[in-house]
Amino acid sequence: MLHLNKPVIDVYLPSIYSSNKDTSHKTHQITQGGKFWASQRIPQLNLVHSQEDPVKKEHTDNTEAQPEKKEKIQSNQEEPEPEIPDDSPTDPLKIVHFDLKGAAPKVKYLEQIFPLLSSLGANGILLEYEDMFPYEGELSILKSSFAYSPEDIEEIKSLAKRHKLELIPLVQVFGHMEFVLKHEKYFKLREVETFPNSLNPLAQGGMDLVQDMLTQVMKKHPEAKWFHIGADEVHGLGKSEDSKRWLEANDGDMGKLFLNHVTAVGRFMTKLKRGIKLILWDDMLRKVSSDTIKESGLQDLALPMIWKYIPNMDVKEIGSYIYKYEQVGFKGVWFASAFKGASGIDQKWTPINHHLKNHLQWQKVITSMPQYKSVRFRGIALTGWQRYEHHTVLCELLPVAIPSLAVCLQMLKYGECFIPGGVLEYVTFCFIKE
C-alpha cells in the first residue's frame, strides 16, 4: 500500500529500448546515482545491526561414477590473443544481470544506469547477449535486427570500466538456444525435432557452432576475467536418436551425457583464453552424482552458480548444494537471486516484497559461508529476466523494476539492518516523465 503523504524517491526514466559487511550503528543516506535519480532530498534510514542465522549443511551425495570420454576441441575462428587476468584475491562480486532477449536497453540508457548501479553497491554486470550480439559471417543469421553494433559493445565496455563494473559475458551453449535453433539452417542440431530449446550434444556440427559463437564473443571481450556459459534447463536431453543410442551404450548415464558436452566447452574456452574463469548455472548438476561430476573434471574448469528466485527459499536446501559442490572439489560457488522477471511469466509490475524476501534468504546463505572451509563465495548475480525463454511474452520491463533492484542491492550491501519495520511503506516510489 502506498502512502503518498510519506517521502518518495523519484525515478528518472529515459527512453530505454533499442530501436533498430559493514552493518555498524550508523545512519545511511541512499546514494544518488549520477543523473538517474531526480534531484530530491532522500529520507534517511536508521540502520540497526542484525545477525543472521547460519545455514546448516546437508549431505546429498549420490552414487555411481562413469569414466569420462575425451572430446576433440576444434575452432573454426581466429583465436583472440590470450591474456592472463589478474587473479589476486577480491571481495565477492555483486553483479546485475541484463537479459537482452527482448526490450534490450539502448546504450544511452546504460550510460545513465551504470553509475546508479555502482552507487547502490553493484560492482559487476552479467550481460546475457542472446540475439543482441553482432554475430558475423555464417552466424550473422543469429543476430536480431536490433542487435548492438561492434561500436555499441565497445561503448558498453568503456562505460562498465568507467564505473568499476566487472563485465561478464554470458552465452548459452546447451539449453535455452531457441534464438539459434529456431532457424531452419540449424533444425538438424535440435535435441527434440519439434522444439528449439536444446542442442543435440552429439549432432555433427553442434560443437563447431558453439565454438564459433564463443570465439566471436570472446574476440570482442579479450579483457574478460569471467565468462558464463549458461547450460541450464537442458529440456529434452536424451530424446534424440543420437542420445538414445549413446545412453544405451553408457548405462543410461544422463549426467555423463550432460557433462561430456559442458566439459568439452570448458576445455575449448580454456584453450581459447588462457586464465579465463568460467561459470555455469547449477540446476543440471543437482541431479548428477558427485562421483560423476568429479570424474568429468568439471570442477577444474568452471564454477557453479546456484540459483533460486522464490521468496520462501529453503536455505538448508541451498546449503546441501554448497556441501555437495565442496565435496566434489569446486573451489568456489556463485549465487543467483532475482530482482525482476521471476514472479510471473507476464508480470507487469515488479512485486518488491517478493524479491526482497528472496534476497533476505540469500543473505542468510552468504552469512553461513565461513563454515565451508574449502569452497569460496565468489559473488551473487541479481538476475533480471526479460522473458522466461526466447518465444514467451515479456515480463515486466526494466524501468518498472529499478526500485526493486535498488532495494535488493542496498539490502545485500548493508544486510537485513537496511530493512527496518515498515520500510516498504516508509519508502515508496513513483515515476516521472523524462
Side-chain angles (χ1 to χ4, degrees):
M1 181 175 181
L2 300 182
H3 299 281
L4 298 181
N5 60 323
K6 299 285 181 74
V8 281
I9 296 176
D10 289 335
V11 180
Y12 175 73
L13 295 174
S15 172
I16 72 165
Y17 302 120
S18 294
S19 60
N20 301 350
K21 208 160 197 253
D22 184 9
T23 55
S24 54
H25 294 75
K26 62 180 180 180
T27 300
H28 169 59
Q29 185 168 7
I30 299 174
T31 311
Q32 296 195 22
K35 298 178 180 178
F36 193 90
W37 295 119
S39 55
Q40 180 172 337
R41 184 179 178 277
I42 307 300
Q44 292 186 333
L45 300 177
N46 291 322
L47 304 182
V48 182
H49 182 72
S50 173
Q51 193 72 28
E52 300 287 359
D53 292 329
V55 180
K56 294 183 179 178
K57 294 190 285 185
E58 283 186 5
H59 187 190
T60 57
D61 220 3
N62 291 323
T63 54
E64 291 182 43
Q66 298 281 342
E68 186 204 3
K69 171 182 166 187
K70 273 194 175 177
E71 300 207 18
K72 187 176 179 182
I73 307 301
Q74 296 179 344
S75 172
N76 297 329
Q77 297 283 342
E78 179 185 349
E79 296 187 0
E81 184 68 25
E83 295 181 7
I84 302 176
D86 179 12
D87 201 26
S88 56
T90 57
D91 291 333
L93 291 171
K94 291 186 282 290
I95 60 178
V96 177
H97 168 246
F98 284 84
D99 175 23
L100 302 181
K101 60 176 176 282
K106 291 181 180 179
V107 175
K108 69 178 183 180
Y109 183 76
L110 299 178
E111 185 178 354
Q112 297 180 67
I113 200 174
F114 277 14
L116 172 69
L117 303 183
S118 183
S119 71
L120 289 169
N123 52 11
I125 298 296
L126 181 61
L127 207 57
E128 182 163 357
Y129 275 117
E130 246 247 3
D131 59 0
M132 286 298 291
F133 184 82
Y135 288 106
E136 300 172 347
E138 290 188 4
L139 298 183
S140 60
I141 191 175
L142 304 183
K143 66 181 180 183
S144 163
S145 58
F146 306 114
Y148 293 133
S149 68
E151 294 75 22
D152 288 336
I153 291 179
E154 291 304 312
E155 179 62 19
I156 292 169
K157 286 162 55 178
S158 177
L159 289 169
K161 184 176 181 180
R162 186 185 314 162
H163 298 291
K164 297 180 173 56
L165 297 169
E166 183 90 27
L167 198 155
I168 304 174
L170 190 158
V171 177
Q172 287 283 5
V173 301
F174 209 167
H176 286 294
M177 289 189 66
E178 297 92 349
F179 77 102
V180 178
L181 301 177
K182 70 179 182 181
H183 297 286
E184 186 175 0
K185 178 180 179 180
Y186 298 116
F187 281 3
K188 62 184 179 181
L189 301 181
R190 294 178 175 183
E191 178 68 352
V192 179
E193 186 179 357
T194 53
F195 295 101
N197 311 69
S198 304
L199 181 74
N200 177 345
L202 303 173
Q204 186 175 1
M207 183 58 75
D208 289 338
L209 168 66
V210 168
Q211 290 175 3
D212 290 348
M213 291 168 59
L214 293 170
T215 299
Q216 289 199 23
V217 175
M218 196 72 251
K219 192 172 182 179
K220 289 286 189 292
H221 293 276
E223 71 295 322
K225 299 177 183 179
W226 294 91
F227 198 102
H228 201 307
I229 59 172
D232 59 317
E233 297 181 325
V234 187
H235 299 310
L237 183 61
K239 300 293 185 182
S240 70
E241 292 304 314
D242 292 331
S243 295
K244 287 177 181 176
R245 285 192 294 270
W246 188 94
L247 289 168
E248 283 180 15
N250 291 271
D251 299 324
D253 195 335
M254 192 78 74
K256 186 182 174 187
L257 177 62
F258 170 78
L259 289 167
N260 279 351
H261 179 74
V262 172
T263 54
V265 171
R267 291 190 180 96
F268 170 77
M269 285 296 289
T270 56
K271 288 177 182 289
L272 186 64
K273 170 68 182 294
R274 188 159 49 100
I276 193 69
K277 293 175 284 190
L278 302 178
I279 307 168
L280 79 163
W281 303 113
D282 88 303
D283 54 291
M284 296 296 291
L285 298 176
R286 298 174 195 175
K287 299 174 274 188
V288 182
S289 75
S290 297
D291 287 341
T292 302
I293 298 174
K294 193 178 295 186
E295 286 285 335
S296 76
L298 180 65
Q299 67 275 15
D300 300 320
L301 297 169
L303 298 181
M305 180 175 276
I306 306 171
W307 60 272
K308 190 71 80 171
Y309 308 142
I310 57 177
N312 60 340
M313 183 183 83
D314 185 347
V315 295
K316 290 184 179 181
E317 177 190 356
I318 302 302
S320 72
Y321 299 149
I322 299 170
Y323 181 76
K324 174 181 178 178
Y325 300 147
E326 181 182 38
Q327 297 304 303
V328 164
F330 287 106
K331 299 304 181 186
V333 290
W334 285 78
F335 303 143
S337 58
F339 73 89
K340 72 173 289 289
S343 60
I345 196 169
D346 59 351
Q347 183 68 264
K348 296 177 177 62
W349 190 263
T350 308
I352 297 178
N353 200 43
H354 174 104
H355 296 290
L356 175 59
K357 287 179 178 178
N358 175 243
H359 285 79
L360 287 168
Q361 295 301 91
W362 274 116
Q363 186 66 25
K364 294 177 183 179
V365 178
I366 293 169
T367 303
S368 78
M369 284 307 295
Q371 70 181 289
Y372 304 98
K373 303 305 180 187
S374 62
V375 65
R376 177 180 166 197
F377 168 50
R378 300 308 303 258
I380 183 169
L382 294 83
T383 63
W385 300 101
Q386 294 286 74
R387 304 181 193 269
Y388 277 25
E389 60 178 43
H390 185 80
H391 291 110
T392 58
V393 298
L394 286 166
C395 305
E396 72 270 36
L397 300 179
L398 180 59
V400 175
I402 294 299
S404 173
L405 176 57
V407 168
C408 294
L409 276 171
Q410 290 282 280
M411 201 289 301
L412 289 174
K413 185 175 181 179
Y414 294 99
E416 190 176 358
C417 57
F418 173 69
I419 313 298
V423 69
L424 293 181
E425 293 185 359
Y426 177 67
V427 181
T428 61
F429 300 85
C430 67
F431 298 115
I432 60 172
K433 292 183 179 179
E434 181 176 357

